[in-house]
Amino acid sequence: QVQLVESGGGLAQPGGALRLPCSASGRTFSSSAMGWFRQAPGKEREFVAAISSSGVSTYYADSVKGRFAISRDNAKNTLYLQMNSLKPEDTAVYLCAKTNSRTIAPASTITNWGQGTQVTVSS
């Protein structure tokens, strides 16, 4: 079965940095576009970043563009989200997700979700 497990969350000060890994099980990781989402208290879940199966193409929400970087290591079946210049508004539960396509496509079905990891940005 496919499982996604995020880690690396925790407390950070404004301007700080965190790196979130998402470890994936199964044989289909390298052929699947992946993404990161987040949900803050009292707000709807929002898209953060996506990456194609090969890692060649990436796409970011405007709110994190220039600060966050999505990457993957297919040999290790691991997805990453590097978060720099953190702001209090980045506070949320961050979840990784697997899609049913190789390319970045908004209409793609999310086939698997991770359990989420809490990121809190506060002084």
Side-chain angles (χ1 to χ4, degrees), residues 33-110:
M34 301 286 293
W36 285 97
F37 293 78
R38 68 186 182 186
Q39 186 156 17
K43 305 197 74 174
E44 295 181 12
R45 183 181 63 192
E46 66 173 335
F47 167 78
V48 175
I51 188 167
S52 61
S53 61
S54 67
V56 170
S57 300
T58 59
Y59 182 75
Y60 299 91
D62 288 342
S63 59
V64 306
K65 199 171 298 181
R67 299 189 299 119
F68 290 12
I70 188 171
S71 62
R72 65 194 298 160
D73 186 337
N74 285 348
K76 296 181 179 179
N77 273 203
T78 304
L79 176 74
Y80 301 95
L81 184 67
Q82 178 67 50
M83 305 185 294
N84 299 322
S85 302
L86 285 164
K87 304 175 180 180
E89 49 262 49
D90 293 321
T91 295
V93 172
Y94 284 72
L95 307 98
C96 65
K98 179 177 179 292
T99 78
N100 67 345
S101 67
R102 288 180 175 271
T103 59
I104 297 170
S108 294
T109 299
I110 302 297

